[in-house]
Amino acid sequence: MNRQNKMTNVRYLTVTAMLSAIAFVLMLFDFPIAFLIPSFIQMDFSELPALIGSFAMGPACGVMVCLIKNVLHLTISSTGGVGELSNFILGAVFVAIAGNIYKHKKTKKSAVVSGLVAALVMGIVSVFSNYFVVYPVYYKAGMAEEAILQMYQAIAPSMKSVLQCLICFNLPFTIVKGLIAVVICMLIYKPLSPVLKGRLSEY
């Protein structure tokens, strides 16, 4: 391995570690939006560093940031790892799709389009991942399906099933969460890119 490759690998690891640390800190500042979605579902902006890493260093970097931040968060988890599992699944889908689309054409327009597509897909995946994976884990942990349904019904009494709740609440919530990360990323990515890459930005 020549010196240039070593420097590139060191930069990649350094940037990944730095973005993971920032993402972990952002996870600590999660907050509920109780009037829009049950309080056990928290809003946070920890996908932002992962999205930046995915654009700057490639989708694998973004996915690693999602993994590392959630592993770190397990040390203080209040959900027995269920929240971290959900966060990783959705975050990894989001940044992997955005990064893979963006790497084929590194322009601002491509970044916007890739972010929009990724946010939409993340929202759709949230319905399936919660219904088939995450919520069943909650059920087995002692949180009854009826209890979860009642939390949604406290906001919208017309809800008849958990699946309906996921479509009406989690789907738009997750899409909006992704879009917020995309908007912030578009505002700060250009000045950050040269620092992360160690050269002039491609966008």
Side-chain angles (χ1 to χ4, degrees):
M1 183 182 294
N2 59 40
R3 185 169 181 272
Q4 183 62 41
N5 287 338
K6 287 182 179 179
M7 290 180 63
T8 300
N9 289 339
V10 169
R11 176 172 292 278
Y12 184 93
L13 293 173
T14 302
V15 169
T16 302
M18 177 187 69
L19 292 175
S20 298
I22 295 172
F24 169 65
V25 171
L26 289 175
M27 283 189 79
L28 300 178
F29 293 95
D30 58 354
F31 56 93
I33 310 179
F35 59 93
L36 291 178
I37 198 162
S39 59
F40 70 90
I41 300 170
Q42 303 278 309
M43 170 68 80
D44 69 76
F45 303 111
S46 62
E47 275 77 35
L48 176 59
L51 182 61
I52 292 171
S54 192
F55 282 163
M57 311 299 288
C61 174
V63 173
M64 282 301 300
V65 171
C66 290
L67 177 61
I68 294 170
K69 69 167 182 171
N70 280 291
V71 170
L72 291 174
H73 200 266
L74 282 173
T75 61
I76 55 171
S77 176
S78 61
T79 66
V82 182
E84 288 75 18
L85 173 64
S86 179
N87 188 282
F88 171 71
I89 292 172
L90 299 182
V93 167
F94 178 53
V95 300
I97 291 174
N100 273 295
I101 294 175
Y102 176 71
K103 74 178 183 180
H104 294 294
K105 189 175 183 181
K106 295 183 177 181
T107 63
K108 186 171 185 177
K109 181 179 179 180
S110 175
V112 172
V113 170
S114 66
L116 294 177
V117 171
L120 177 60
V121 174
M122 179 172 67
I124 294 171
V125 170
S126 75
V127 174
F128 293 95
S129 67
N130 281 313
Y131 189 73
F132 291 108
V133 180
V134 177
Y135 279 28
V137 175
Y138 274 126
Y139 304 155
K140 291 180 180 178
M143 195 174 189
E145 182 175 355
E146 293 76 14
I148 291 179
L149 178 59
Q150 287 173 3
M151 291 181 186
Y152 285 100
Q153 290 174 332
I155 302 171
S158 61
M159 294 294 104
K160 303 299 183 185
S161 69
V162 169
L163 181 59
Q164 182 185 13
C165 296
L166 292 172
I167 294 171
C168 294
F169 286 88
N170 294 56
L171 173 61
F173 174 84
T174 306
I175 292 174
V176 169
K177 182 180 178 182
L179 292 177
I180 291 173
V182 172
V183 170
I184 299 175
C185 184
M186 292 304 99
L187 295 175
I188 67 176
Y189 180 72
K190 190 171 183 177
L192 285 178
S193 182
V195 177
L196 298 174
K197 298 178 181 180
R199 53 185 169 81
L200 293 178
S201 173
E202 292 171 298
Y203 134 51

